[in-house]
Each structure stands twice: as C-alpha cells, then as structure tokens.
Amino acid sequence: MSTVSAPGRSKKLGWNLVGLFVFVVAGFPVYWMLNTAFKPAKDAIDPDPSLLPTGMTLSNFGRALDIADFWGPVWRSLVVSVTVVVIGIVIGLLAALAISRFAFRGRKIVIVGILAVQMVPLVAMIIPVFLLLNDLNQYDRLSGLIITYLTFVLPFTVWTLRGFIVNIPKELEEAAMVDGCTRTGAFVRVVFPLLAPGMVATSVYAFIQAWNEYLYALMLLSQKNQTATVWLGNFTTKHGTEYAPMMAGATLMAVPIVALFLLVQRKMAAGLTAGAVKG
C-alpha cells in the first residue's frame, strides 16, 4: 500500500488552502449581495454591518419589483442576449470552421485581426459606435444594441470555437467521407456532436457578456428601452442609494444566469475538455 510522504501532504494542504482562499474571495461578493437583499433596509446602511444575517425580510424584493418597470427591462435583456448568442454561434461556428479547416490567402491576418479586436478597450469604441448607429438609424433600438454586442462577442466566439475544432482530428471527417458522407454530412454526423460541449460553453460565456453589459446599454438606449443592468440604476437617486432593494434586484437578475448554469453544467464541464482522442 502506497503512502503519501509528509512533504507531499504539506504541499497538498497548501494547495487546498490556496483554493479555499480563492473560493472565499470570489464567493464573498455573492454572499454579501444575498445577505443585503434579505436584510431589513435600515440594516443595509448600518455603518457597522454584521457579516452574519441579523434578520430576514422579503420586502426588498417587493420594492425592487415596484420601482419603475422590472419585467420590461428583463425581457429586453433576455431578447438581446439570446439573439446575440444565436447569431454569434452561427456566424462564429462558420468562421471558426473556415479558419481551422481551410487554407486560404490572408488566413493568418484574419486570426491576428481577431486577437487584435479583443485587445481594444470597449470604452474606446463608444463614440464611433454611437455615430455609426445614429447614421444607420439604429440608435435607441434593440437591433442596434445587438449589432454592437456582436462586435465584441463574435471575436471571442470565433477564437474559442476554433480551438475546439482544431482539437478534433481531420481523420475523423476523412473517414466519414470515405464511408460515403459529404463534407457537410461528415461535419453534422461526426464533428458537430464532438463540438457540442464547446458550443455550449461558448454560448454561456456570450450570454453572460450580453446579459451583464452596462455601458453600451446605458449610452445607446433611452429609459423606455433600458435593459436590466441599466434598470438597477433606478435605485440611485438624488436622495441616495437604496442598497437593500438594489441587491434584491441584482439577485433577481442573477436568477437567469444561475438557471442557465444548472441546465448546462454537464455540457460546460465537458466543454472544458472537448475534443477527440486518437486511438
């Protein structure tokens, strides 16, 4: 029977402590959001707050649903996010397939261009995007916001899906074509099932990007067309910020993301190691 040496146990304990520290740092903001959402409003502005819940109330959620309009912004955010994901995955998959499977002039330039676009700060493009959408009569329209989101979701989608496709051996497609499949049939029957977990992982990330984006939604949409992230700004007025209802609203906004993760968590885990193994 093998035994673990003392240095080995110490190293394992050290890594476990590091993992626990990272978990606490990453999870504390979520815990504090939930803690504030359920505590009485007066406790949320206490100058000496308690780390543990001191009281439980649902009144903050009622306030969050009553202020301005809630379901309208949520519905608009859902429409924008789903549309961005669908269009981004379709176009991104075709582009990634072309880049990874076909050799053409300018291929390396396209790859470098995709990386370069991701390096540009989003805040640097606000004025050009605003002027362009205004000229196209897309200002204060959800379609204009969708087009804008695609500019930074598509590069990531193409680059990520390319990585998944490259990990799938070409020999699998060639074998299917030898058995009588067309190139399209080989992709649908062989490559697509292996690529599905990677597509799910990429879709979830694209959805989160579109759902959580705030700056462009604030600048490109009026109050009547605001999305859920901009809606949260209604809790900050000239009289101050209603922290407890704001955290309740943020909790409600997090529900679709959590539900999405619960639905696709297995595909997400498989997507991290997606690919084919040569026998």
Side-chain angles (χ1 to χ4, degrees), residues 136-153:
L136 297 176
N137 196 27
Q138 291 296 315
Y139 175 73
D140 197 20
R141 294 189 178 185
L142 294 184
S143 56
L145 190 64
I146 291 172
I147 295 172
T148 303
Y149 286 177
L150 285 172
T151 60
F152 56 83
V153 169

Side-chain angles (χ1 to χ4, degrees), residues 126 129-131 133 138-142 144-145 148-149 214-222 225:
I126 289 181
V129 168
F130 174 83
L131 295 176
L133 293 181
Q138 291 296 315
Y139 175 73
D140 197 20
R141 294 189 178 185
L142 294 184
L145 190 64
T148 303
Y149 286 177
Y214 172 78
L215 186 59
Y216 281 93
L218 176 65
M219 298 296 296
L220 301 179
L221 296 177
S222 63
N225 290 325

Side-chain angles (χ1 to χ4, degrees), residues 148-182:
T148 303
Y149 286 177
L150 285 172
T151 60
F152 56 83
V153 169
L154 263 178
F156 170 83
T157 302
V158 173
W159 183 257
T160 305
L161 290 179
R162 174 188 173 274
F164 288 117
I165 295 175
V166 167
N167 287 329
I168 301 176
K170 293 182 179 179
E171 290 79 5
L172 297 178
E173 293 179 75
E174 294 172 355
M177 294 172 66
V178 169
D179 290 338
C181 287
T182 61

Side-chain angles (χ1 to χ4, degrees), residues 32 59 69 87 89-90 101-102 106 119-120 156 160 170 173 187 204 207 213 266 275:
W32 195 251
S59 60
D69 178 26
I87 297 177
I89 287 296
V90 172
R101 285 292 191 259
F102 300 99
M119 296 178 185
V120 178
F156 170 83
T160 305
K170 293 182 179 179
E173 293 179 75
F187 175 79
V204 170
F207 183 89
E213 204 284 322
R266 292 185 179 180

Side-chain angles (χ1 to χ4, degrees), residues 85 89 164 195-208 255-274:
V85 169
I89 287 296
F164 288 117
L195 189 60
M199 292 179 61
V200 171
T202 306
S203 298
V204 170
Y205 181 83
F207 183 89
I208 293 174
V255 170
I257 300 295
V258 174
L260 181 61
F261 268 107
L262 293 177
L263 289 174
V264 301
Q265 58 178 334
R266 292 185 179 180
K267 290 291 185 180
M268 280 285 293
L272 297 176
T273 56

